[in-house]
């Protein structure tokens, strides 16, 4: 059956990197029999300029109808002074919550060829391969009540609520156990159960689920210790599962272990395996339009799309191998340069991957 893929390039470097990712998809369709239909929709600042809304109804409908979404990046200084609901970011948040993309998968992989790019010593990070599974549609970012008020003493006061029900914990937990089972069978659940009631429930549900996944060994870690271990000995982690707030922070820390934001893909998935795939980085307005952005995060997002939504792990492996091979050949965009390698433009890097896939 033909898979419908919606491309949402967005702003800044989004369209540049998506162009290369689309070339990869088209090559797989042409040379490897991948059966897809591509469509494009506006999102973010580009959609505000064209339609006055960061997520126009037509884009939301197209996103609902697609089997998978390839997303570029949104945002930029031109829209920063807009009211919150008219900012590019609110388009992305709405898309995630409308599609119920509750499971965010963020791999932090350090290609051995790029060990020099990390701020940590190569022996600590070389060969790093962590998968962080973050709950994306609940927790303190969405919990009610939330707001600001003037309290009885006449002081300004603000509050947010961290809450999870067991159904939300179970669905992210099951996804994490499945992913850990398909990797090395080690799952670390990160919480703050020594202080927070919501974390105690999180831990209890994870322990209950463990009985259904005997092939996975489950451990628990408090979030403060996890932050410390992530920079002390990150290779001890394989798959990590955590809530929205802790996952936001830990996945950025893990990303930085790799030293190269231009290399990191991500997936956000619903309960049926439909996913939105996007680079971890933003719209990089400082380099937009110069043809220097690294397209590999977007291309590796295509690999995740193939593996998780289209169930074409064989083609995902091909894309990932092509990336490794390009790095072996010494090709580097400016963000991952060292002095012995060759500088490639966005288009040259994309072209190298396409050539290898052919
Ligand atoms: P950013 O990720 O856009 O950029 C951070 C730094 O990394 C910049 O120096 C940039 O040049 C560099 N960089 C990012 N992607 C790169 C790539 N592919 N190749 C080479 N270098 C790259 O983060 P920021 O500067 O904090 O944010 C810029 C805009 O992006 C803001 O409007 C922000 O709200 C938005 N943003 C969007 C998303 C998203 O779309 N999911 C995520 C984060 C930030």
């Amino acid at each position: 059956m033909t898979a419908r893929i919606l491309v949402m390039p967005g702003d800044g470097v989004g369209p540049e990197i998506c162009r290369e990712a689309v070339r990869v998809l088209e090559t797989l369709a042409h040379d490897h029999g991948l059966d897809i239909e591509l469509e494009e929709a506006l999102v973010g600042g580009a959609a505000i300029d064209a339609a006055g809304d960061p997520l126009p109804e037509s884009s939301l409908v197209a996103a609902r109808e697609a089997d998978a979404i390839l997303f570029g990046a949104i945002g930029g200084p031109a829209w920063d002074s807009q009211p919150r609901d008219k900012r590019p970011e609110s388009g992305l948040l709405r898309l995630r919550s409308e599609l119920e993309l509750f499971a965010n998968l963020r791999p932090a992989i350090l290609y051995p060829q790029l060990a020099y790019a990390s701020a940590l010593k190569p022996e600590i990070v070389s060969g790093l391969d962590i998968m962080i599974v973050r709950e994306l549609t609940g927790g303190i970012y969405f919990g009610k009540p939330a707001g600001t008020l003037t309290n009885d003493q006449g002081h300004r006061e603000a509050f947010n609520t961290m809450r999870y029900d067991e159904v939300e914990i179970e669905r992210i937990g099951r996804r994490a156990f499945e992913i850990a089972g398909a990797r090395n069978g080690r799952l670390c659940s990160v919480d703050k159960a020594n202080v927070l009631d919501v974390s105690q429930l999180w831990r209890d549900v994870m322990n209950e689920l463990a009985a259904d996944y005997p092939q996975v060994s489950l451990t628990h870690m408090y979030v403060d210790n996890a932050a410390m271990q992530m920079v002390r000995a990150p290779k001890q982690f394989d798959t990590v599962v955590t809530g929205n707030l802790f996952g936001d922070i830990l996945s950025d820390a893990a990303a930085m272990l790799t030293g190269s934001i231009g290399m990191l893909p991500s997936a956000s998935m619903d309960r049926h395996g439909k996913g939105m795939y996007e680079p971890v980085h933003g719209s990089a307005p400082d380099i937009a339009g110069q043809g220097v952005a690294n397209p590999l995060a977007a291309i590796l997002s295509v690999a995740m799309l193939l593996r998780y939504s289209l169930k074409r792990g064989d083609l995902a492996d091909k894309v990932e191998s092509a990336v490794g091979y390009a790095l072996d050949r010494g090709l580097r965009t400016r963000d991952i340069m060292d002095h012995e390698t060759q500088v490639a433009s966005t288009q040259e890097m994309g072209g190298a991957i396409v050539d290898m896939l052919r």
Side-chain angles (χ1 to χ4, degrees), residues 13 17 71-77 80 89 92 96 261-263 278-287 292-295 297 333 335:
V13 298
I17 54 165
F71 192 94
I74 44 96
D80 279 350
E89 291 75 9
L92 177 56
R96 285 175 181 161
I261 197 165
M263 297 288 302
E278 56 177 315
V280 163
H281 63 74
S283 59
D286 53 331
I287 57 166
V292 298
N294 188 345
T333 42
D335 55 308

Side-chain angles (χ1 to χ4, degrees), residues 213-249:
Y213 302 89
Q215 76 284 19
V216 175
S217 86
L218 173 69
T219 54
H220 302 277
M221 198 179 275
Y222 297 134
V223 63
D224 42 349
N225 185 27
M228 200 163 72
Q229 298 300 331
M230 198 63 84
V231 289
R232 191 189 72 84
K235 284 194 271 185
Q236 70 184 282
F237 295 106
D238 180 57
T239 306
V240 173
V241 61
T242 190
N244 205 343
L245 172 65
F246 301 154
D248 193 4
I249 299 165

